[in-house]
């Protein structure tokens, strides 16, 4: 049996969170507006990963007030800053994915590679190693803020 990860369209994911308070076990939040709106949606004992500002950039959409809940695990990741520092800003989302996978290893490395091959046109397969590198970087830079 192979692991498969399905991603809902943003609208459907948000609709689910809004209509089912305290319904998600993990949340990745990259801006203050989303943190204010969805921090309460993480189940007690769940995981919240938020995008931390970095020393290289000013992100006007970034987190300005850290999460306040005491009943969830909280981690931060400076994915945007690290991706820019390394010159791979186009794959910052993969840095975030790497941080998440360090905490919740729900997909094997093999399936990530296969998923990239499946989702990228063959002419862009040369970018797969860069994406995989970004995942490994994310695993290395995620920081615990509060662990239950």
């Amino acid at each position: 049996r192979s692991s498969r990860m399905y991603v809902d369209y943003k609208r459907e994911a948000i609709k689910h969170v809004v209509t089912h308070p305290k319904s998600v076990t993990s949340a990745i939040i990259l801006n203050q507006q989303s943190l204010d709106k969805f921090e309460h949606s993480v189940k007690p004992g769940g995981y919240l990963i938020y995008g931390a500002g970095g020393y290289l950039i000013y992100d006007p959409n970034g987190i300005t007030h850290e999460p306040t809940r005491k009943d969830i695990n909280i981690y931060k990741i400076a994915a945007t800053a690290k991706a820019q520092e390394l010159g791979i800003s186009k794959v910052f989302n993969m840095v975030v994915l790497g941080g998440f996978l360090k905490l919740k290893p729900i997909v094997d490395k093999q399936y990530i590679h296969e998923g990239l091959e499946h989702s990228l046109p063959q002419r862009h397969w040369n970018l797969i190693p860069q994406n995989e590198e970004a995942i490994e970087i994310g695993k290395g830079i995620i920081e615990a803020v509060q662990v239950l």
Side-chain angles (χ1 to χ4, degrees):
R1 192 173 136 176
S2 66
S3 298
R4 298 195 188 266
M5 188 165 70
Y6 295 95
V7 179
D8 288 336
Y9 288 103
K10 184 178 178 181
R11 178 180 22 206
E12 291 301 314
I14 290 173
K15 178 181 171 186
H16 176 78
V17 170
V18 170
T19 58
H20 299 90
K22 302 251 190 235
S23 64
V24 297
T25 58
S26 300
I28 298 171
I29 297 179
L30 301 175
N31 62 58
Q32 189 64 50
Q33 182 180 13
S34 295
L35 179 62
D36 293 342
K37 190 170 186 177
F38 298 116
E39 179 181 0
H40 73 279
S41 298
V42 179
K43 289 181 180 182
Y47 291 79
L48 186 147
I49 299 170
Y50 70 94
Y55 55 90
L56 295 174
I57 60 167
Y58 168 69
D59 182 1
N61 297 315
I63 305 296
T64 56
H65 306 294
E66 294 188 350
T68 58
R69 293 207 19 216
K70 302 296 181 204
D71 63 342
I72 59 175
N73 296 286
I74 300 174
Y75 292 82
K76 66 180 176 180
I77 188 163
T80 304
K82 191 63 170 179
Q84 277 196 338
E85 174 190 336
L86 298 172
I88 55 172
S89 57
K90 289 183 179 181
V91 293
F92 103 94
N93 58 324
M94 300 303 275
V95 176
V96 174
L97 176 62
F100 176 76
L101 290 175
K102 180 178 180 179
L103 304 176
K104 307 287 278 184
I106 60 171
V107 181
D108 291 335
K109 190 182 268 190
Q110 169 194 346
Y111 296 118
I112 292 170
H113 186 89
E114 289 175 12
L116 288 167
E117 283 183 346
H118 181 74
S119 62
L120 290 173
Q122 190 170 3
R123 69 182 182 276
H124 293 301
W125 283 6
N126 63 314
L127 300 174
I128 291 174
Q130 190 178 47
N131 280 267
E132 292 173 330
E133 176 189 3
I135 290 170
E136 294 306 313
I137 289 167
K139 290 178 180 179
I141 66 167
I142 192 159
E143 299 176 39
V145 174
Q146 170 180 289
V147 179
L148 301 179

